[in-house]
C-alpha cells in the first residue's frame, strides 16, 4: 500500500509519542489492509501506546487479526473499539507476553475467553478453573486449556485488576485445578490402578503457599494408601506410583503447545533417591527419625490439592505437630542459615548481581526470614501458621513479633520484587529469575510496572531501593523486636513478651537468653543519646553475634566494652558511622577469649577497628621506635617495661583482630584471606613485637643501672620460632644471650653486668600485671639449663669448637639477632654459620643421630593420652615432622644452596623445592600441613585464651576453632577429617624424606 509522505511523517511522529521504539516497522504493519481500523482510530493507537511494549503489542495484534477468518476479523476489531476493559486486557497481554501472543496466533478464538472476565471484581477460584479445564480429556487439550486460563490471569494482572498476591494465588489455584485434571486423565488411562489405591497430592513450596509464579516447578509430595484391607499395601503403593508418574508426565512433557510446568517431587523423604509414593505411616516414620530441619521448613507450606481429600487432610494433620516442634531441634537456626548460605554459594558469579530470587536482598531472603520467625514463634501462636509469606508477615506484625512499620516496608519490597519476577517470566513464559540486561527488555519490564518517565533508570533505582530494604531484613525481623521487649514503648504499641523474646534468642543460638535480655536492657533502656545510638546498633550487632560460635560471649563483651567506653564521645559515634568498625568489633568479641581479654584491658584500642590502616601490621622499626620512646618517658625500669608491655598488648590485639577478621572474611572479601598469608602475617607481627619489647626492656634496665652505656656489649639472639619469625600468640621467646667486654673493660664486671641485665629483663617482662607476660626461654644455650644464662662470644666459640652436639647445630639453624648490639649479633651469626651449614654436609652418623633424636622425641615428649593424629606440634605430620625434615635438608645442603640459609621454615621449604631436593608435590604437602597445624595452634590460643597443641574438647570452643579455620557451623567433623588427611599425607612424605623409608 502506498502512503502519502506527509501522512507518513505525521504517523511516524504519533508512534514515537505513543512509545513505539521501532516506528518505521510499526508503520509498515499499520499499512496492512486488515489494520485500517487501527490506523485510523486514535483509541486503539492510544491503547497500544499504554502497553508495556507497544511494538510487541502491535505485532501480536496483527498476528491475531491475520489468524481470524475474514468474517471474524471485523468482529474482533469492533469489539476492541467498543469494549474498553477487553481492549485494555487483550492489548496489555500482547504488549507484555510474546509467549501468550504466540498462543493466540495458534488459537485465534481464545481471545474471547477474556470477555467473561470483564467485571473488575471477578476473581476466579479453583472451581472456576476446573470448569475451564473440564473439556480437556488428553494432555494436549489440557495444555491448550491451561494456556487459555493463564491468559485470563495475565490479563487481569497487567491491567492492575489484581495485585501481585492475588495473581500468585490465582496461579496456585490454576495449578491445583490442573493437577486434578491431570490426575483425572491418568485415572481414566489406568482404571485398574485408580481402583487399587487412594492417592493424595500435597502441594509444597509456592503452590502450597498460594503464591505461585507464572513459570515455576510445582513442588508436590504423593501419599498413597490401600482402598481397603483386601488390597495389599505394596500393590496399592505401586498403583499409586504409576498414577503419580503418569500425572507428572502429563504436566511436564513438552509438545507443540509447550509444557505446562515440571512437577517436582524432590521434597519427598530422601529426595530423588526415595520412593515417589509412600504411605502416611512411612512418611511419619521418616520425619520422626531422619528428617533434616529444612524438610520441616518446607512442610510449613504443605497443602492437599488433588486426589483423596481425606487422605490429604490426614497427612497435613499428622505432620503439622512435627513442623511446629522443629525450632526445638538442636542447631535449628544454624541449619536454616546454612541452607540459605548454600543457596547463595551455588549462584554462578556472573549471575549474582542479576539474581532476583536467590541473590542477597532477593525474594528468598524474605521468605527464609519469615519462615524462620514462623517456626520459632508459631509453636505457641497458631495465628502465624500460614503458608503465604505476605499473610505470615501480616500475622507476625499483628502479634508484635515484627514492628508494624518494618513489616509494611518489607511487604512492599516483597511485592515489588515478586512483580518484577512475574513480568520477567510472563514475557516468554520461561522459568527465570534473572533481571534482563538488554535495554529493550529493561524498558518493557519497567513500563509493565508503571514506570514511564525513564523506565530503565527508574526500574534500577526501585529495584536497588527495595533490595536494600531486604538486605536489612535480619535487623528488621529478628533483632529489633528483641529491643522492644526490654524497652518502654508508647501506649498501644505491641512488643514481644519476655517469654517470646527468650524463645527467639534461644532459637538464634544464645545459650543464656535471660542474661542476654538483661544485657540488652542495660544497653538500650532510657532516653539518653547513648541509649538511642545503642538501639540503632544492637539489631545489627545481635545478628553478627548470632552468626558466631558463641553469641553470649559476644554480647557480654560488647556490654563490657560499652560500659568502659560508653561516656567516651567517639566510641558509639565510631560504631554508628563506620560500618566496618561495628562488624569488626562483633567478630572479634564473639570469636574467643584472647582478643576480648586484650581489648577489655585497654578498651580504647577499639579505635583500631574503624581505621582503614588500623588492622595492618606495623614493622619492627616503627614498633621499636615507639617502645623506646615510651621507655624514655617512663620513670624507672618497672614503669618503663610496663609501658613497653602496654604497647605489646595493644599490638597483640591489633594482630589478633586482623587475624580473626581476615579468617572470617568481610563484606568486600567474604571468603577471607589465604591461610598462608594469615600465618606469615601473624608470625612476623608477633616476632617483631616481641623483639621490640625485648629491646625496650633492655634499654630500661641499662638506663636504670648504668645510664647510657652497659660495661659490656650485649646482644639477644632469637632461637626456635622466635628466630624463625614463626611465633604464635602463646609462644615463649627462645633466646641466647651473648656479651663481649668493651675494650679495656673488666671481664668480671662485664660478666656480672650481663647476668644482671638478663635476670632483670626476665623479671620485669614477667611481672604480674594486666598485660600478658613475655616469657624468655634460654634453654637452648650451651649445656642447657645447667649452663650460664649469658656467655661471651669467645666462650660460645670455645664451646662450639670442642663440645657442640649435632642437635645444637640443628637448633642454631633458627639463630637470628633480635635486640642489642647489632655488630655483636652479626659476629655471632658468622661464628655459627659453619656449624649449621657444614661445608661437607652431614655424615651418615650425624644423620642417624638426628633421626634417633627425632624418634625419641616422638615417643617421650608426646603428652600421655594425646591423640598422635591430632597433636599439632608433635603428632603425625605436625610441625615437628615438617620442621625436622626441612632442617635436615638445610644442614645437608645449606653450604651449597644459598637459598636454604634462612631461619624460616616455609622459605627453606620453597628453596629446597626450587633446588630440586624435593618434588613440588611433596613441598606442597609439607607446606599445607605446616600452615594448617600452625593455624590450629593460633586458633586454640585465640579461642581459649591459653596455648594448646590439640583441638579443644569442649563443643563450643571446638566450633569456634572451626570457624577460625574456615568451616561453617555444623562442620566440625569435616575440620578434623581435613586435618587428619593433610597430616597423614605429610607424614608419608616425612617417612620418605627424613627417615629414608
Amino acid at each position: 500500500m502506498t502512503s502519502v509522505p506527509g501522512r507518513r511523517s505525521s504517523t511516524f511522529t504519533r508512534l514515537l509519542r505513543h512509545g513505539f521504539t521501532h516506528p518505521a516497522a510499526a508503520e509498515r504493519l499499520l499499512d496492512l489492509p486488515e489494520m485500517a481500523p487501527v490506523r485510523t482510530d486514535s483509541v486503539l493507537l492510544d491503547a497500544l501506546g499504554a502497553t508495556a511494549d507497544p511494538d510487541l503489542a502491535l505485532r501480536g495484534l496483527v498476528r491475531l487479526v491475520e489468524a481470524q477468518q475474514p468474517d471474524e476479523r471485523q468482529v474482533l476489531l469492533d469489539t476492541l473499539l467498543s469494549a474498553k476493559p477487553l481492549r485494555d486486557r487483550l492489548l496489555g497481554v500482547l504488549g507484555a507476553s510474546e509467549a501468550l501472543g504466540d498462543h493466540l496466533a495458534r488459537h485465534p478464538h481464545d481471545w474471547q475467553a477474556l470477555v467473561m472476565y470483564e467485571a473488575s471484581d471477578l476473581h476466579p477460584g479453583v472451581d472456576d478453573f476446573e470448569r475451564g479445564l473440564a473439556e480437556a480429556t488428553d494432555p494436549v487439550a489440557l495444555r491448550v486449556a491451561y494456556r487459555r486460563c493463564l491468559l485470563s490471569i495475565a490479563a487481569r494482572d497487567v491491567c492492575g485488576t489484581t495485585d501481585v498476591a492475588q495473581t500468585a494465588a490465582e496461579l496456585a489455584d490454576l495449578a491445583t485445578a490442573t493437577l486434578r485434571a491431570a490426575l483425572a486423565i491418568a485415572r481414566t488411562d489406568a482404571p485398574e490402578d485408580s481402583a487399587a489405591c487412594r492417592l493424595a497430592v500435597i502441594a509444597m513450596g509456592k503452590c502450597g503457599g498460594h503464591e505461585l509464579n507464572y513459570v515455576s516447578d510445582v513442588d508436590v509430595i504423593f501419599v498413597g494408601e490401600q482402598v481397603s484391607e483386601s488390597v495389599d499395601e505394596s500393590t496399592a503403593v505401586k498403583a499409586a506410583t504409576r498414577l503419580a508418574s503418569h500425572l507428572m508426565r502429563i504436566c511436564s512433557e513438552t509438545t507443540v503447545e509447550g509444557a505446562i510446568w515440571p512437577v517436582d517431587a524432590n521434597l519427598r523423604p530422601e529426595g530423588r533417591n526415595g520412593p515417589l509414593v509412600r504411605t502416611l505411616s512411612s512418611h511419619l516414620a521418616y520425619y520422626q527419625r531422619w528428617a533434616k530441619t529444612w524438610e520441616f521448613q518446607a512442610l510449613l507450606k504443605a497443602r492437599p490439592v488433588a486426589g483423596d481429600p481425606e487422605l490429604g487432610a490426614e497427612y497435613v494433620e499428622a505432620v503439622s505437630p512435627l513442623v511446629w516442634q522443629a525450632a526445638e531441634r538442636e542447631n535449628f537456626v544454624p541449619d536454616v542459615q546454612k541452607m540459605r548460605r548454600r543457596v547463595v554459594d551455588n549462584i554462578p558469579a556472573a549471575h549474582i548481581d542479576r539474581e532476583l530470587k536467590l541473590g542477597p536482598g532477593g525474594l528468598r531472603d524474605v521468605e527464609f526470614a519469615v519462615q524462620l520467625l514462623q517456626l520459632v514463634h508459631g509453636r505457641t501462636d497458631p495465628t502465624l501458621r500460614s503458608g503465604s509469606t505476605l499473610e505470615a508477615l501480616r500475622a507476625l506484625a499483628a502479634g508484635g513479633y515484627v514492628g508494624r512499620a518494618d513489616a509494611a516496608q518489607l511487604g512492599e519490597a516483597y511485592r515489588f520484587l515478586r512483580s518484577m519476577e512475574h513480568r520477567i517470566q510472563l514475557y516468554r513464559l520461561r522459568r527465570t529469575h534473572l533481571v534482563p540486561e538488554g535495554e529493550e527488555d529493561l524498558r518493557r519490564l519497567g513500563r509493565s510496572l508503571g514506570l514511564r518517565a525513564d523506565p530503565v533508570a527508574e526500574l534500577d533505582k526501585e529495584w536497588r531501593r527495595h533490595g536494600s530494604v531486604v538486605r536489612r531484613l535480619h535487623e528488621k525481623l529478628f533483632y529489633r523486636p528483641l529491643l522492644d521487649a526490654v524497652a518502654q514503648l508508647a501506649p498501644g504499641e505491641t512488643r514481644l513478651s519476655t517469654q517470646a523474646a527468650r524463645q527467639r534468642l534461644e532459637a538464634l543460638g544464645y545459650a543464656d537468653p535471660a542474661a542476654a535480655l538483661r544485657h540488652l536492657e542495660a544497653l538500650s533502656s532510657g532516653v539518653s543519646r547513648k541509649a538511642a545510638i545503642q538501639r540503632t546498633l544492637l539489631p545489627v550487632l545481635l545478628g553478627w553475634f548470632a552468626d558466631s560460635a558463641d553469641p553470649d560471649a559476644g554480647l557480654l563483651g560488647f556490654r563490657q566494652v560499652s560500659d568502659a567506653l560508653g561516656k567516651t564521645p567517639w566510641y558509639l559515634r565510631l560504631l554508628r558511622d563506620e560500618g566496618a568498625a561495628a562488624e569488626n568489633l562483633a567478630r572479634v568479641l564473639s570469636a574467643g577469649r584472647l582478643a576480648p581479654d586484650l581489648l577489655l584491658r585497654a578498651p580504647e584500642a577499639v579505635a583500631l577497628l574503624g581505621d582503614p590502616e588500623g588492622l595492618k601490621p606495623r614493622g619492627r622499626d616503627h614498633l621499636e621506635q615507639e617502645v623506646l620512646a615510651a621507655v624514655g618517658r617512663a620513670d624507672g625500669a618497672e614503669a618503663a617495661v610496663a609501658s613497653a608491655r602496654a604497647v605489646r598488648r595493644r599490638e597483640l590485639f591489633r594482630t589478633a583482630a586482623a587475624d580473626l577478621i581476615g579468617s572470617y572474611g568481610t563484606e568486600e572479601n567474604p571468603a577471607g584471606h589465604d591461610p598462608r598469608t594469615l600465618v606469615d602475617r601473624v608470625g612476623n607481627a608477633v616476632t617483631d613485637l616481641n623483639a621490640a619489647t625485648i629491646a625496650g626492656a633492655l634499654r630500661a634496665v641499662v638506663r636504670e643501672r648504668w645510664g647510657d652505656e652497659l660495661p659490656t656489649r650485649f646482644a639477644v639472639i632469637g632461637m626456635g620460632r622466635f628466630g624463625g619469625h614463626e611465633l604464635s600468640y602463646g609462644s615463649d621467646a627462645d633466646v641466647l644471650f651473648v656479651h663481649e667486654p668493651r675494650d679495656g673493660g673488666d671481664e668480671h664486671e662485664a660478666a656480672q653486668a650481663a647476668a644482671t641485665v638478663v635476670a632483670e629483663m626476665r623479671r620485669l617482662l614477667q611481672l604480674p600485671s594486666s598485660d600478658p607476660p613475655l616469657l624468655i626461654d634460654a634453654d637452648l644455650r650451651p649445656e642447657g639449663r645447667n649452663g650460664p644464662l649469658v656467655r661471651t662470644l669467645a666462650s660460645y666459640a670455645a664451646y662450639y669448637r670442642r663440645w657442640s652436639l649435632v642437635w645444637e647445630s640443628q637448633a642454631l639453624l633458627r639463630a637470628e639477632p633480635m635486640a642489642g648490639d647489632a655488630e655483636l649479633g652479626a659476629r655471632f651469626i658468622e661464628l655459627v654459620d659453619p656449624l649449621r651449614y657444614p661445608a661437607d654436609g652431614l655424615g651418615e652418623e650425624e644423620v642417624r643421630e638426628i633421626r634417633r633424636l627425632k624418634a625419641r622425641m616422638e615417643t617421650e615428649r608426646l603428652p600421655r593420652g594425646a591423640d598422635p593424629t591430632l597433636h599439632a606440634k608433635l603428632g603425625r605430620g605436625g610441625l615437628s615432622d615438617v620442621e625436622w625434615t626441612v632442617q635436615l635438608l638445610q644442614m645437608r645442603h645449606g653450604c651449597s644452596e644459598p637459598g636454604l640459609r634462612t631461619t624460616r621454615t616455609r622459605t627453606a621449604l620453597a628453596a629446597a623445592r626450587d633446588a630440586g631436593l624435593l618434588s613440588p608435590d611433596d613441598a606442597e604437602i609439607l607446606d599445607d600441613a605446616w600452615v594448617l597445624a600452625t593455624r590450629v595452634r593460633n586458633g586454640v590460643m585465640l579461642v581459649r585464651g591459653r596455648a594448646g597443641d590439640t583441638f579443644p574438647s569442649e563443643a563450643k570452643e571446638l566450633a569456634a576453632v572451626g570457624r577460625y579455620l574456615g568451616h561453617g557451623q555444623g562442620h566440625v567433623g569435616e575440620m578434623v577429617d581435613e586435618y587428619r588427611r593433610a597430616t597423614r599425607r605429610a607424614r608419608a612424605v616425612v617417612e620418605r624424606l627424613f627417615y629414608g623409608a
Side-chain angles (χ1 to χ4, degrees), residues 152 166 296 401 405 408 438 521 536 550 580 585 598 718 778 781 985:
S152 68
Q166 181 62 37
F296 294 109
Y401 304 99
E521 185 171 12
T536 300
D550 194 351
L585 178 61
L598 293 169
R781 64 188 183 270
R985 296 174 68 203

Side-chain angles (χ1 to χ4, degrees), residues 884-947:
W884 280 61
T885 301
V886 172
Q887 289 162 16
L888 182 60
L889 292 171
Q890 287 181 281
M891 295 185 74
R892 298 180 82 170
H893 304 284
C895 183
S896 58
E897 293 292 343
L900 291 174
R901 299 172 205 164
T902 175
T903 63
R904 306 181 186 215
T905 301
R906 296 192 63 229
T907 304
L909 185 59
R913 177 202 61 206
D914 295 343
L917 301 175
L918 75 169
S919 70
D921 287 345
D922 285 348
E924 184 177 7
I925 288 170
L926 294 178
D927 191 57
D928 287 345
W930 190 90
V931 168
L932 181 56
T934 301
R935 295 207 75 217
V936 168
R937 297 182 87 206
N938 284 343
V940 170
M941 183 66 184
L942 286 167
V943 169
R944 303 180 69 191
R946 61 181 187 275

Side-chain angles (χ1 to χ4, degrees), residues 84-86 89 113-124 152 155-156 161-162 170:
K84 184 180 187 307
L86 176 66
R89 286 193 171 101
L114 301 180
V115 175
M116 61 181 292
Y117 294 113
E118 287 190 4
S120 62
D121 60 345
L122 180 59
H123 299 299
S152 68
R156 289 188 298 279
T161 304
T162 55
E170 289 185 11

Side-chain angles (χ1 to χ4, degrees), residues 475 478-489 495-496 501 504-505 516-517 519-521 523-525 531-540 542 555:
E475 173 188 352
F478 285 97
Y479 305 110
R480 181 74 65 187
L482 291 171
L483 298 187
D484 295 343
V486 298
Q488 296 296 319
L489 300 182
R495 68 176 183 178
L496 290 180
R504 184 175 297 191
L505 284 165
L517 282 175
H519 297 324
L520 293 179
E521 185 171 12
L523 288 163
S524 63
S525 294
I533 296 177
Q534 289 282 24
R535 286 193 290 271
T536 300
L537 292 170
L538 277 166
V540 183
L542 283 169
L555 181 55

Side-chain angles (χ1 to χ4, degrees), residues 391-410:
E391 288 181 10
L393 186 56
R394 282 192 291 269
L396 287 164
Y401 304 99
V402 176
R404 286 190 292 270
D406 294 341
Q409 191 178 17
L410 197 76

Side-chain angles (χ1 to χ4, degrees), residues 376-453:
V376 170
H377 299 298
R379 292 176 287 177
T380 55
D381 189 344
T383 66
L384 305 180
R385 299 178 183 179
S386 170
S388 163
T389 301
L390 289 172
E391 288 181 10
L393 186 56
R394 282 192 291 269
L396 287 164
Y401 304 99
V402 176
R404 286 190 292 270
D406 294 341
Q409 191 178 17
L410 197 76
E412 179 189 3
Y414 185 71
R415 286 184 176 88
F416 182 84
L417 296 175
R418 284 301 305 274
S419 296
M420 282 184 68
E421 181 184 48
H422 277 189
R423 302 302 166 80
I424 291 169
Q425 293 183 350
L426 181 59
Y427 174 48
R428 285 183 174 154
L429 289 181
R430 291 178 181 171
R431 184 176 181 269
T432 178
H433 310 287
L434 291 178
V435 177
E437 295 180 291
E439 183 86 7
E440 195 167 312
D441 291 329
L442 289 170
R443 181 176 182 273
R444 180 193 315 108
L445 178 58
R447 283 173 60 92
S448 75
L449 296 171
L451 307 173
R452 296 302 172 96

